[in-house]
Amino acid sequence: MTKRIRKIIPVGIKAETEIWIFACAIAVGLCRALLFFQAYSREYNRLFHIEYGKRVLIEGRTMADFYVVLKGTFNGFIVAIFIFICLIILHYGYHYKDSKSIYTMKRLPDRYELHKRCFTVPLIGIVVSIILITALLLLFYNYYMIKTPADCLFPNQWERLWTAILYGG
């Protein structure tokens, strides 16, 4: 696997380092996203009170909107995307350091080789982050809708989410 990675990263950078940066950035996003379940649990528990050792639903209590529970969940992926953007800058900067490999890169027959080596891994990271955000959003939404008692839900949670995203609500 490292042989394939060496073909898409700047010459001289260790493939293991790139893999470690990639994995850590994605792990930061995933760890932060999984805190959704903690936020959900906190809001869910507010729907109940304990009566004779049993949890009883409080009459008329409603669950916080999905977008409120979701707030901040994907901040880790925003950090990961920022790391990948910084990695592009570091890749380009690496070619101008010490050995000045930029001169070698400019003499290669494929004039896009420099850009391929600087952009490929970070762009893959950004795409993976976006795919994970989308998949987790759908997973969290389904979890929210299935686990929350129907009497406690405000209608149109999906529309409320997109209204909050688009209009900053």
Side-chain angles (χ1 to χ4, degrees), residues 98-111:
D98 301 333
S99 67
K100 299 282 188 186
S101 59
I102 189 66
Y103 298 119
T104 304
M105 295 302 290
K106 287 185 176 187
R107 286 183 292 175
L108 292 175
D110 182 1
R111 60 186 246 192

Side-chain angles (χ1 to χ4, degrees), residues 40 42-49 55-69 143-157 160:
Y40 178 85
R42 184 177 51 248
E43 293 297 329
Y44 182 78
N45 287 334
R46 290 181 182 163
L47 299 176
F48 300 92
H49 72 277
R55 289 170 44 125
V56 178
L57 188 63
I58 299 171
E59 189 78 25
R61 180 82 43 106
T62 57
M63 181 74 167
D65 284 333
F66 176 65
Y67 75 88
V68 172
V69 178
Y143 181 84
Y144 176 90
M145 295 304 290
I146 291 169
K147 188 149 173 29
T148 306
D151 297 342
C152 300
L153 283 173
F154 282 111
N156 305 322
Q157 287 297 316
R160 287 172 181 254

Side-chain angles (χ1 to χ4, degrees), residues 27-84:
V28 164
L30 284 173
C31 288
R32 177 61 183 100
L34 292 177
L35 290 177
F36 166 82
F37 294 110
Q38 180 184 21
Y40 178 85
S41 179
R42 184 177 51 248
E43 293 297 329
Y44 182 78
N45 287 334
R46 290 181 182 163
L47 299 176
F48 300 92
H49 72 277
I50 306 297
E51 193 173 287
Y52 303 112
K54 291 186 178 183
R55 289 170 44 125
V56 178
L57 188 63
I58 299 171
E59 189 78 25
R61 180 82 43 106
T62 57
M63 181 74 167
D65 284 333
F66 176 65
Y67 75 88
V68 172
V69 178
L70 190 70
K71 195 170 209 148
T73 298
F74 298 120
N75 288 350
F77 283 111
I78 292 169
V79 169
I81 290 170
F82 178 74
I83 289 169
F84 292 127

Side-chain angles (χ1 to χ4, degrees), residues 59-139:
E59 189 78 25
R61 180 82 43 106
T62 57
M63 181 74 167
D65 284 333
F66 176 65
Y67 75 88
V68 172
V69 178
L70 190 70
K71 195 170 209 148
T73 298
F74 298 120
N75 288 350
F77 283 111
I78 292 169
V79 169
I81 290 170
F82 178 74
I83 289 169
F84 292 127
I85 291 169
C86 289
L87 195 58
I88 293 170
I89 296 166
L90 289 173
H91 283 174
Y92 274 108
Y94 179 80
H95 286 93
Y96 289 93
K97 284 189 166 197
D98 301 333
S99 67
K100 299 282 188 186
S101 59
I102 189 66
Y103 298 119
T104 304
M105 295 302 290
K106 287 185 176 187
R107 286 183 292 175
L108 292 175
D110 182 1
R111 60 186 246 192
Y112 297 108
E113 187 67 22
L114 172 67
H115 306 301
K116 287 178 192 173
R117 288 180 178 265
C118 292
F119 272 97
T120 304
V121 170
L123 285 181
I124 291 170
I126 291 169
V127 168
V128 166
S129 295
I130 291 169
I131 290 170
L132 285 172
I133 288 169
T134 305
L136 288 171
L137 177 66
L138 295 173
L139 175 82

